[in-house]
Amino acid sequence: MAALRKLTPELSRSLLRPGGLREAVGRRGVRVLRRSPVRVLPPQKERGAAAEAQQSPREPPPPTPPPPAVERSSAGPGLWYEKAAPGDRRLGKVVTIAKSKKFRDHHGKVLLEGHRLIKDALEAGAVPQTLFFSTVGHLKELPEAKLKRANLLKVKFEDIKSWSDLIAPQGLIGIFSKPDHAKMSYPATQLTSSLPLLLILDNIRDPGNLGTILRSAAGAGCEKVLLTKGCVDPWEPKVLRAGMGAHFRLPIITNLDWESVPSNLPAGIKVCVADNKDPGAQVETASVLKGAGRAGSAPGNPKAPVKSKPQAAPEHKDKEGATGVCVPELAAQYYYENWTQTPVAVVIGGETHGLSADALHLAASTGGKRLVIPVVPGVDSLNSAIAAGIVLFEGKRQLLRRHKQEDERQKFPVAA
């Protein structure tokens, strides 16, 4: 700074004279005027990379590879399937949402697993949407004409095993549109063996019991089954497994309120209920059967009159806890005594909440009776599925005997 202060007066005087600028440049300040800025050099590695980039031309980035093509194979004439790639999560996603009742009701889809169940569904006219299988042999065992409408996806057996509810899965899972009983084509053998015998289910909430009851109804030749509100969803996987294909052998009408039940019954029908109400008990201490699971009673006189208080009508406490619901009194008889006519229906109640007052009112309005299955004293009740099987097959026996007697009377009319 001191040197600059000394230089400044001299430069100022030189610049004031003619030609003073050239004279000043040629003197001590020439180094200052010619000095260039300091260049900052990057590290050695960066300088080498920059030099290589300047020498070689910049290459364009490689193009994005196209998505892999779907691998499709033929499983027969006009039948093609897709092979799932590693990490394909469609099976797990579909199985998870199809197991939800909310999804089934909202989207109208059900999940079926196993060769027999899927074959029965296809033959009955159920519409398949997606079929997951582990080997092509599974497809060859199914009606190929019905599979052309479905998306077929081959997956690893380990994937099916991880999502299956079965202990020993078969490697075949299907997603179907929720079947409509009015559009189904039930087996001809089932239709020809059908009897004027109907089944009404009231508060059956156990999936295993419901599936077993449906299987018994199909075996007994029931015309159809009505499920009132409060019953478990018949399209739940556990119900389907216990039903063993019964869903596709007879009409199943679900989610009915009791006001709409009569419109689904034929005219002139008699409705009976399975009950274990002690015929000799007093009304004020009697309780409604805790389901067809309570459809057993100790031996006694089923036709004994039921005592009642003359000054008050019998009351029943319903499942919501409200009192004042008058329960009609029905005549009681053993299940093996004659109770059938054409047509006839049987109401089976659940083991937890039992028969509802609506079921008893319906039976009373049609002249129905309480059917008692006698059991050894001390045994509380029978399982609802067991009781249903006993009553249904007894009803079948009585109806067949009645039909046989009518045929004999037509063949050999009695002379007047």
Side-chain angles (χ1 to χ4, degrees):
M1 292 296 296
L4 290 175
R5 291 191 187 99
K6 293 180 181 179
L7 178 63
T8 301
E10 297 178 0
L11 286 175
S12 59
R13 287 193 299 270
S14 301
L15 292 174
L16 292 176
R17 295 195 302 269
L21 179 60
R22 289 192 301 271
E23 184 179 351
V25 170
R27 292 169 21 194
R28 294 180 60 183
V30 65
R31 293 183 180 179
V32 177
L33 296 177
R34 292 181 179 180
R35 183 175 297 172
S36 60
V38 177
R39 182 179 180 183
V40 180
L41 298 177
Q44 181 67 27
K45 293 183 179 180
E46 295 183 5
R47 289 203 304 271
E52 293 180 0
Q54 292 179 358
Q55 294 177 0
S56 60
R58 186 175 182 181
E59 298 179 357
T64 304
V70 177
E71 182 180 349
R72 299 180 66 87
S73 304
S74 175
L79 196 63
W80 293 85
Y81 66 88
E82 176 185 348
K83 186 176 181 181
D88 194 313
R89 299 182 179 179
R90 281 178 288 181
L91 174 60
K93 183 178 179 181
V94 170
V95 171
T96 301
I97 58 181
K99 288 182 179 180
S100 167
K101 183 180 184 301
K102 183 177 180 181
F103 174 84
R104 292 194 300 266
D105 294 340
H106 182 70
H107 296 278
K109 297 181 181 180
V110 296
L111 182 145
L112 306 179
E113 183 174 1
H115 172 265
R116 178 176 178 178
L117 190 59
I118 291 178
K119 183 178 180 181
D120 290 345
L122 293 173
E123 291 178 347
V127 180
Q129 295 187 357
T130 306
L131 208 63
F132 301 92
F133 61 96
S134 58
T135 62
V136 180
H138 290 306
L139 300 181
K140 296 182 179 180
E141 298 176 355
L142 301 174
E144 294 185 0
K146 304 287 182 71
L147 296 178
K148 294 181 180 180
R149 296 176 292 179
N151 296 321
L152 307 178
L153 185 63
K154 184 180 179 182
V155 298
K156 293 182 178 180
F157 179 78
E158 289 74 13
D159 295 337
I160 292 182
K161 186 177 181 180
S162 62
W163 291 104
S164 174
D165 289 333
L166 303 180
I167 298 177
Q170 301 178 12
L172 187 63
I173 296 178
I175 304 297
F176 284 71
S177 300
K178 194 171 185 178
D180 183 0
H181 68 90
K183 300 179 181 179
M184 300 293 286
S185 301
Y186 298 105
T189 54
Q190 187 75 29
L191 298 177
T192 55
S193 303
S194 179
L195 296 171
L197 177 63
L198 288 80
L199 179 62
I200 304 174
L201 301 182
D202 181 18
N203 284 318
I204 302 295
R205 301 190 177 185
D206 182 82
N209 283 344
L210 178 56
T212 304
I213 291 173
L214 295 176
R215 185 178 180 182
S216 298
C222 285
E223 185 176 322
K224 60 182 173 181
V225 180
L226 307 180
L227 273 66
T228 60
K229 290 183 178 179
C231 291
V232 66
D233 183 12
W235 300 107
E236 184 177 291
K238 292 183 180 179
V239 182
L240 288 164
R241 289 199 302 271
M244 293 295 291
H247 295 71
F248 307 105
R249 302 191 68 85
L250 79 168
I252 301 174
I253 305 174
T254 65
N255 202 32
L256 295 175
D257 50 39
W258 284 100
E259 290 75 13
S260 61
V261 168
S263 61
N264 289 276
L265 299 175
I269 192 171
K270 182 173 75 172
V271 179
C272 298
V273 297
D275 199 350
N276 79 331
K277 181 179 178 182
D278 186 359
Q282 294 183 355
V283 174
E284 61 268 22
T285 59
S287 62
V288 179
L289 166 68
K290 291 297 184 181
R294 302 280 184 178
S297 174
N301 182 10
K303 295 185 179 180
V306 180
K307 299 178 182 180
S308 61
K309 292 182 178 181
Q311 61 268 38
E315 292 184 352
H316 170 62
K317 190 173 183 179
D318 62 13
K319 62 184 179 181
E320 286 81 16
T323 59
V325 179
C326 181
V327 176
E329 299 199 21
L330 303 176
Q333 69 173 59
Y334 288 131
Y335 78 98
Y336 49 77
E337 297 177 333
N338 186 30
W339 52 269
T340 59
Q341 68 175 38
T342 304
V344 65
V346 178
V347 181
I348 305 294
E351 297 184 24
T352 303
H353 297 278
L355 289 167
S356 63
D358 293 316
L360 298 174
H361 279 287
L362 177 62
S365 66
T366 62
K369 298 180 179 181
R370 292 191 295 113
L371 306 178
V372 179
I373 303 176
V375 296
V376 174
V379 177
D380 181 50
S381 64
L382 294 179
N383 174 270
S384 60
I386 298 296
I390 293 174
V391 174
L392 289 177
F393 278 90
E394 173 60 23
K396 177 181 180 179
R397 185 191 68 83
Q398 295 185 17
L399 287 172
L400 292 177
R401 183 184 60 182
R402 182 185 295 273
H403 291 169
K404 183 178 180 180
Q405 293 174 352
E406 292 176 355
D407 293 340
E408 290 178 353
R409 283 195 297 266
Q410 292 178 359
K411 291 180 180 180
F412 306 102
V414 179

